[in-house]
Amino acid sequence: MLAKQTYMSGYILSSKVNCSYFIRTYSTSTTQIFSKSRPKPSKFLVYCNSQITKNGRNGNITEAESVFNGMAKKNIISWTAMLTAYADNGNITKAREVFDEMPERNIASWNAMITACIRNNDAIDDASGLFRQMPGRNAISYAAMITGFVQAGMMEKAEELYAETPVIFRDPVCSNALISGYLKMGDLKQAIRVFEGMTEKDVVSWSSMVDGYCKRRRIVEARDLFDRMQERNVVTWSAMINGYLKMENFREGFQLFLKMRLEDNVKINSTTLTIIFEACGNCGRYREGCQVHGLALLMGFEFDVFLGNSVITMYCRSGLLDEAMNLISSMPFEPHSGVWGALLGASRTHLHLDFAKIAAQHLFELEPNNATPYVVLFDMYSVAGKGKDGEQMRITKKSRGVKKSPGCSWIIVKERVNLFFAGDQSHINFQEIKRTLWTIMDEMKLLNFQRQ
């Protein structure tokens, strides 16, 4: 069991990695090592190894070192666990020292060190060098290295290594890594090529493609894949639901969420709920949002910063300011500036000056150089007939040296970025741009006149 845990912590780099495949592969190789050439480790040795792994994962690296250094006898799992503990805590140098000092290594040890280098984006060459030195490789070795090239933006290298990968190791793990890379680059065409060439697909393969189609707004093809899947997990369902909601098809997305609830083998998670809360707030569907909030409470979800902020923002955008303030008061954390910004905007829309002042006060502290809360309060004071308070806000803004950022837009022409700031006339082609804009405005006026 410890060997499995060490291996998982040493390899997993992405949520799109097929964990079950890794566990199965590594369990087989570990069993063979112990059964053929090694005696069964003692319970105390297993316990020490588990403590190194646990402390490493929890960030207690000093405690992990203490256990490791105090062991009179160590096995290959002990060394790999210590290496992984250093890697998990960002100390690649120490991880490499442990690797170099190991009296013997197995494939898992090499994979752990390669993964440690890949996590450090500057060490992709070191990872590649280690990979080439390996006396033997498995599917994890190839998938880790392909993932490393993908993360470094070296897709040609990833494709070359994928072509070198033995067919027995290629699907689904290595193919999933390559698909993930192409999708992150926005190259759906290449991702489809790899997907369609796979002889063995798993739920990760299908889920990645569903998400890829959704993000390219090809919702019909995404749904076709979704309906053809024999197995779906929470990632698949969430991706498909999010696809509909991003396309502003709230009805289909919400109905799919309700259908997801009826699945026995799929549990709704905080990511799914956050997607729904965001959509409810954007679409003004506060009734559905309130229902989902009640469902989340009934299911026992803890409203952490991530989930709590999303539901508060939903209430703000729906204009339910009292409910939003009640939630803010009951949450065990301090909301981030996005939540206070949402409350400030909603207070402005609904002319709720008291809530606007509370939101602005928090924004003054969280974003002292942000001019927005000053401007919003000044406008609201003016509307409420409180000119003196508005003038005081303007003076406070000026005394603190806060300046409103000018409006900005840009356009890329022939790989060159052209920036335009409100009131700025310094652009080299300003006069020509100005004449073109006046021409467009005259044509728009003429079109409007002709329609009337």
Side-chain angles (χ1 to χ4, degrees), residues 403-431:
K403 295 182 179 180
K404 183 179 179 181
S405 301
C408 175
S409 62
W410 63 89
I411 185 171
I412 301 176
V413 180
K414 295 182 179 179
E415 299 184 357
R416 179 181 175 184
V417 179
N418 293 266
L419 285 170
F420 302 95
F421 293 95
D424 181 24
Q425 301 182 11
S426 62
H427 195 281
I428 189 172
N429 298 321
F430 176 74
Q431 293 301 328

Side-chain angles (χ1 to χ4, degrees), residues 155-167:
M155 289 306 298
E156 289 185 8
K157 288 276 189 182
E159 191 71 66
E160 288 174 7
L161 182 56
Y162 180 73
E164 295 175 14
T165 304
V167 175

